[in-house]
Amino acid sequence: MDLQEAATGERRPETLGEEIFGRILDLIYSAELAPGMVVNESVLATRFGVSRGPVREAIRRLQGIQLVSREPFLRARVVSLSSEAILELFQMREALEGYACRLAAQRMSEAEIDALIADLEAAHSGRQPEGVRFDFHERVVRASGNSRIIDSLCGDLYHLLRIYRRISGAVPERKELAFTEHWQILRAIKMRDGALAESLMRSHVERAGRHVLAQVPETPSLAAADAEKRAS
C-alpha cells in the first residue's frame, strides 16, 4: 500500500483489479474453477466483496491470456482443451523443455544447481515458506538462458501449461513419481550431461501428457453449447 492509499484508506482501482485477477487465477490453478466451468461474474463479485467492475476486467484479462473463453451469447468459461489440443501442447513442451534442460546443464552455475536442489527438497517436504511458489519446470526453463524458449513457455502460455500440469500431478502416485523424475533430471544437470538431461525431461513431459489425457474428459460438445445458447 502506498502513501496515498494509506492516507485515504482506499485501494487504487488498478491495485484492486490486480488482486481480483490473482484471486481468480488461484481458483483456476487450484481447480476450484476447473476447465470447462462457468466463470460467474456476479458470484465472484459477491465472494470477493467487490463490485462487478473489477471482476469483469479480470475476466477480460483472463480471456486475453487464453485462460477463459467466451463465445457470442454464451457464458465465460475456463478454457477446456480437446484431447488433440492437449496432445499438441505437451508435444511442444516436450521439445522445448527438453532442449531447455540441455542448455541448463551447460549454463547453470553450481550455486544455482545447489539452490534448485534445496528448493526441490523443501517443496516436496512441505518446508517452503508460506506464500512462496516453487515451479521446477519454470526454473529449468529460465536457467536455459534462451530468451525465445523462455518467452514461449513462461509468457502467457505458462498459465495454460500450469493448469494441465496440475491435473497431471493431482494424483498422489503421479506426484511422487514426478518428484523422483525431477531428481533424476537434476542429477543429470549437476553431472553436466546435457544429452541425458534432455532425454529425461522429454520422457518426463511425455509421461505427464499421457497421464493428463487419461484424466481429462472430452470438451463439451457443440450440441451442448448450442443448447446453452438457446436456454439463455
Side-chain angles (χ1 to χ4, degrees):
M1 181 177 290
D2 63 18
L3 292 177
Q4 180 180 345
E5 291 174 28
T8 63
E10 295 177 353
R11 290 173 295 186
R12 290 181 175 181
E14 63 267 29
T15 304
L16 179 58
E18 285 290 334
E19 178 187 334
I20 298 303
F21 174 77
R23 292 178 72 176
I24 297 175
L25 204 54
D26 286 342
L27 294 179
I28 293 173
Y29 285 158
S30 68
E32 186 172 341
L33 284 175
M37 285 186 64
V38 170
V39 183
N40 190 305
E41 188 179 295
S42 178
V43 169
L44 290 173
T46 300
R47 174 170 179 166
F48 299 145
V50 298
S51 67
R52 293 174 66 167
V55 175
R56 188 178 302 119
E57 182 57 35
I59 292 173
R60 287 198 195 100
R61 286 186 62 189
L62 291 165
Q63 286 179 259
I65 61 174
Q66 300 179 44
L67 277 193
V68 168
S69 62
R70 172 179 268 157
E71 299 298 328
F73 308 109
L74 295 179
R75 297 175 181 176
R77 291 181 181 275
V78 179
V79 68
S80 182
L81 300 183
S82 66
S83 295
E84 181 180 2
I86 292 171
L87 178 61
E88 290 176 351
L89 188 68
F90 275 84
Q91 286 173 337
M92 184 197 71
R93 274 192 62 202
E94 183 181 334
L96 292 182
E97 286 195 42
Y99 195 70
C101 212
R102 178 187 285 265
L103 292 176
Q106 300 168 6
R107 298 177 177 179
M108 289 183 77
S109 68
E110 288 298 322
E112 288 173 329
I113 294 171
D114 290 342
L116 185 52
I117 290 172
D119 289 343
L120 177 63
E121 289 180 331
H124 181 67
S125 64
R127 290 185 285 104
Q128 269 182 294
E130 186 177 352
V132 174
R133 177 183 59 79
F134 173 73
D135 190 319
F136 176 81
H137 290 267
E138 182 184 10
R139 290 275 288 274
V140 170
V141 169
R142 292 192 182 280
S144 74
N146 184 302
S147 61
R148 298 284 184 175
I149 295 177
I150 293 169
D151 288 346
S152 295
L153 295 177
C154 298
D156 288 350
L157 185 62
Y158 168 82
H159 302 288
L160 185 61
L161 290 168
R162 191 176 178 203
I163 291 174
Y164 284 92
R165 279 172 39 205
R166 186 176 183 87
I167 291 171
S168 171
V171 177
E173 293 80 5
R174 176 61 202 166
K175 187 174 182 179
E176 286 301 315
L177 180 58
F179 171 72
T180 300
E181 291 170 355
H182 287 168
W183 251 114
Q184 292 170 343
I185 291 165
L186 258 178
R187 288 193 194 99
I189 290 174
K190 192 166 181 63
M191 291 188 300
R192 306 297 182 181
D193 191 334
L196 178 59
E198 178 176 4
S199 176
L200 289 171
M201 179 62 87
R202 290 181 68 108
S203 296
H204 170 65
V205 173
E206 192 271 336
R207 277 191 291 271
R210 281 193 278 112
H211 188 75
V212 169
L213 287 171
Q215 299 294 318
V216 175
E218 288 292 331
T219 51
S221 67
L222 290 176
D226 288 340
E228 179 182 340
K229 179 178 177 180
R230 288 193 299 271
S232 61

